[in-house]
């Protein structure tokens, strides 16, 4: 049973550039959520995708956007990168309609902005 | 006030000790509750869901008090492998997870 996978594992970008991170959910899951985790802090919710639409969004600017594909995989795009965007980006998958909505996390993409 | 707060830690305990983590949440509409553990530079892993009646999984016991908006996690007979950061999570019908800042545990030989 394949778990959540993410790519790439590490990424180094320069301020002002754009980045795309990818996520494949756990087999059988249909919902993907993205989180940003800065060093020493708990993950912060960015947004959630279900049925190829953004369903919920956390307190993140429009520079953060996403997409979900028909096979449930998802992308996170960040434009105009800032130094403060350096963090671990985590993708989590779950199955909508099956409380208590346990989420399973991928290994994350560590983004460094210089 | 933060939506989810946890003991600041770190907790340093000897092997075999019992340790308790506390968590409070501010949104009374929260419906689901979880404890995750996160090892250094790794992803969070689900430790256990927390049910209203309380639940136990081996050495781990979770309690929920909705009236006080309080969640706890008790670890008995601590092992070296329990060393990690423990994250308290609340959720509203799968809309989004709100994580606490985490409490770091070090179990010492």
């Amino acid at each position: 049973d394949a778990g959540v996978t993410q790519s790439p594992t590490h990424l180094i970008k320069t301020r002002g550039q754009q980045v795309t991170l990818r996520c494949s959910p756990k087999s059988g899951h249909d919902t993907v959520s993205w989180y940003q985790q800065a060093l020493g802090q708990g993950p912060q919710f960015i947004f959630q995708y279900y049925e190829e639409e953004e369903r919920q969004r956390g307190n993140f600017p429009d520079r953060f956007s996403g997409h979900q594909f028909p096979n449930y995989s998802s992308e996170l795009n960040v434009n105009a990168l800032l130094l403060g965007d350096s963090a671990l980006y985590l993708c989590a998958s779950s199955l909508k309609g099956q409380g208590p909505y346990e989420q399973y996390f991928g290994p994350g993409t560590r983004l460094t902005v210089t | 006030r933060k939506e989810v707060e946890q003991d600041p830690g770190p907790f340093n305990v000897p092997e075999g000790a019992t340790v308790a983590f506390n968590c409070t949440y501010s949104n009374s509409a929260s419906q689901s509750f979880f404890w995750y553990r996160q090892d250094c530079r790794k992803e969070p892993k689900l430790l256990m869901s927390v049910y209203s009646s309380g639940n136990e999984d081996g050495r781990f016991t979770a309690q929920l008090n909705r009236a006080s908006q309080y969640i706890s996690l008790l670890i008995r007979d601590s092992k070296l492998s329990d060393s990690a950061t423990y994250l308290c999570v609340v959720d509203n019908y799968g809309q989004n997870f709100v994580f606490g800042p985490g409490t770091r545990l070090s179990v010492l030989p």
Side-chain angles (χ1 to χ4, degrees), chain B residues 45-100:
Chain B
K45 291 191 189 298
L46 178 66
L47 182 64
M48 58 198 304
S49 302
V50 186
Y51 301 114
S52 296
S53 55
N55 46 302
E56 187 174 306
D57 183 2
R59 298 181 294 109
F60 300 85
T61 301
Q63 296 282 345
L64 168 64
N65 184 323
R66 285 186 186 270
S68 302
Q69 295 178 203
Y70 167 86
I71 308 159
S72 66
L73 176 68
L74 185 76
I75 305 176
R76 291 181 299 279
D77 189 22
S78 299
K79 313 290 185 193
L80 295 176
S81 57
D82 293 334
S83 297
T85 295
Y86 289 83
L87 296 160
C88 173
V89 183
V90 302
D91 178 49
N92 302 330
Y93 295 109
Q95 297 305 302
N96 71 73
F97 269 16
V98 181
F99 282 81

Side-chain angles (χ1 to χ4, degrees), chain A residues 31-49:
Chain A
T31 302
V32 172
S33 302
W34 286 92
Y35 295 83
Q36 180 195 67
Q37 187 175 25
L39 204 59
Q41 298 181 23
Q44 300 291 313
F45 175 73
I46 302 175
F47 42 53
Q48 182 182 81
Y49 276 84

Side-chain angles (χ1 to χ4, degrees), chain A residues 15-114:
Chain A
R15 270 182 303 176
Q17 286 188 313
Q18 178 264 343
V19 68
T20 297
L21 311 181
R22 294 177 176 83
C23 171
S24 291
K26 181 178 166 68
S27 178
H29 284 183
D30 58 7
T31 302
V32 172
S33 302
W34 286 92
Y35 295 83
Q36 180 195 67
Q37 187 175 25
L39 204 59
Q41 298 181 23
Q44 300 291 313
F45 175 73
I46 302 175
F47 42 53
Q48 182 182 81
Y49 276 84
Y50 171 66
E51 291 185 332
E52 302 179 48
E53 290 189 18
E54 184 183 295
R55 298 294 177 167
Q56 287 289 317
R57 189 179 183 91
N59 189 24
F60 279 80
D62 292 345
R63 298 187 298 110
F64 289 77
S65 63
H67 190 79
Q68 186 179 34
F69 299 94
N71 67 352
Y72 308 119
S73 67
S74 177
E75 288 182 348
L76 164 65
N77 301 293
V78 187
N79 294 323
L81 285 166
L82 304 174
L83 294 179
D85 295 332
S86 295
L88 179 67
Y89 287 84
L90 294 160
C91 166
S93 74
S94 56
L95 185 59
K96 188 67 79 177
Q98 297 267 335
Y101 305 107
E102 295 169 347
Q103 294 190 13
Y104 295 86
F105 286 81
T109 295
R110 193 164 297 279
L111 172 65
T112 302
V113 182
T114 62

